[in-house]
Amino acid sequence: DTGVSQDPRHKITKRGQNVTFRCDPISEHNRLYWYRQTLGQGPEFLTYFQNEAQLEKSRLLSDRFSAERPKGSFSTLEIQRTEQGDSAMYLCASSPRGGLSTDTQYFGPGTRLTVL
Amino acid sequence: GQSLEQPSEVTAVEGAIVQINCTYQTSGFYGLSWYQQHDGGAPTFLSYNALDGLEETGRFSSFLSRSDSYGYLLLQELQMKDSASYFCAVSSAPGSSASKIIFGSGTRLSIRP
């Protein structure tokens, strides 16, 4: 399967713990995006990378959130000191195009985070 | 600021045609996309419009009017499997300091036999 993969698919954690999610994009895609989605809402943009460079970061992303893409391939999203409000589906998407555009983005299955 | 508006719910009959509208406010508009998402699934790309006019892909068509900041998704010959949420999404011009991708809240489409 050459689609976008995410790991883990589900994560349950206690408030205050740190969590890290991984995303493996489609191999030839140089653009990688992270979104957060809550029930009944559309995906909310968090950040995106072109190769290893983080080019855009939402102002909604607090200092507890950090993302990396060290070798321009897979990416990790870390949430420190989780809060109950962080409970959501975290989606990763990749795109072969340059620029921050809404040309075709391929989404992974997501990581569902539940903070108790 | 940037915002999108689309109806929260639409109901239609199998075999019929349905149109889902999307109006947007954004600076440096670049393009309008539509995504489908089934319950529990990931969003999947349907169509993209950068220029005014109609784009057709099988049973789905998408329209854009940049002057009206308006677009729509047209679904024809509706099938039960089309029951899903549909999101419009826009971005401002790539590379600008204000650029980011905005998704609408989604339109939940329910198909009745």
Side-chain angles (χ1 to χ4, degrees):
Chain A
D1 184 16
T2 58
V4 178
S5 62
Q6 293 186 244
D7 182 72
R9 296 290 306 275
H10 303 273
K11 178 69 176 179
I12 300 174
T13 190
K14 293 182 178 179
R15 187 179 56 183
Q17 297 295 305
N18 299 343
V19 294
T20 300
F21 309 142
R22 176 181 171 122
C23 171
D24 287 87
I26 295 173
S27 59
E28 62 269 25
H29 289 182
N30 63 346
R31 294 289 168 139
L32 186 147
Y33 309 82
W34 284 100
Y35 296 89
R36 178 172 62 190
Q37 186 176 28
T38 54
L39 193 62
Q41 297 298 314
E44 176 186 30
F45 173 80
L46 295 178
T47 189
Y48 93 102
F49 293 83
Q50 178 177 353
N51 299 315
E52 67 277 4
Q54 187 174 18
L55 298 186
E56 184 76 19
K57 185 175 177 180
S58 170
R59 286 189 292 270
L60 298 174
L61 210 63
S62 76
D63 292 343
R64 297 185 296 107
F65 289 71
S66 62
E68 293 182 343
R69 196 183 182 195
K71 299 181 179 179
S73 56
F74 73 92
S75 175
T76 58
L77 176 69
E78 181 182 17
I79 309 174
Q80 296 181 327
R81 305 181 302 282
T82 53
E83 302 173 356
Q84 289 185 325
D86 298 330
S87 295
M89 177 73 82
Y90 290 83
L91 294 165
C92 175
S94 68
S95 170
R97 294 225 181 207
L100 186 62
S101 78
T102 54
D103 287 349
T104 305
Q105 293 194 23
Y106 298 83
F107 281 83
T111 295
R112 181 167 295 283
L113 173 66
T114 302
V115 181
L116 302 176
Chain B
Q2 301 184 70
S3 65
L4 288 88
E5 288 191 13
Q6 54 182 126
S8 58
E9 294 184 17
V10 172
T11 301
V13 177
E14 190 176 15
I17 299 172
V18 71
Q19 178 174 312
I20 300 174
N21 299 320
C22 175
T23 57
Y24 59 87
Q25 285 187 320
T26 184
S27 58
F29 175 84
Y30 192 67
L32 177 72
S33 289
W34 289 92
Y35 286 79
Q36 179 191 60
Q37 186 176 31
H38 288 97
D39 287 346
T44 56
F45 174 81
L46 293 178
S47 69
Y48 175 70
N49 296 71
L51 303 175
D52 287 356
L54 190 68
E55 295 283 340
E56 298 181 68
T57 307
R59 296 187 296 114
F60 295 175
S61 303
S62 59
F63 172 83
L64 175 65
S65 169
R66 296 169 67 109
S67 60
D68 295 324
S69 298
Y70 163 77
Y72 66 72
L73 179 69
L74 190 72
L75 297 83
Q76 302 179 338
E77 301 173 16
L78 288 170
Q79 302 174 11
M80 298 301 293
K81 67 178 182 179
D82 297 329
S83 294
S85 292
Y86 293 83
F87 298 93
C88 58
V90 301
S91 72
S92 54
S96 74
S97 60
S99 62
K100 62 179 177 179
I101 297 171
I102 300 292
F103 277 78
S105 297
T107 298
R108 188 169 185 85
L109 175 62
S110 299
I111 310 296
R112 295 184 286 109

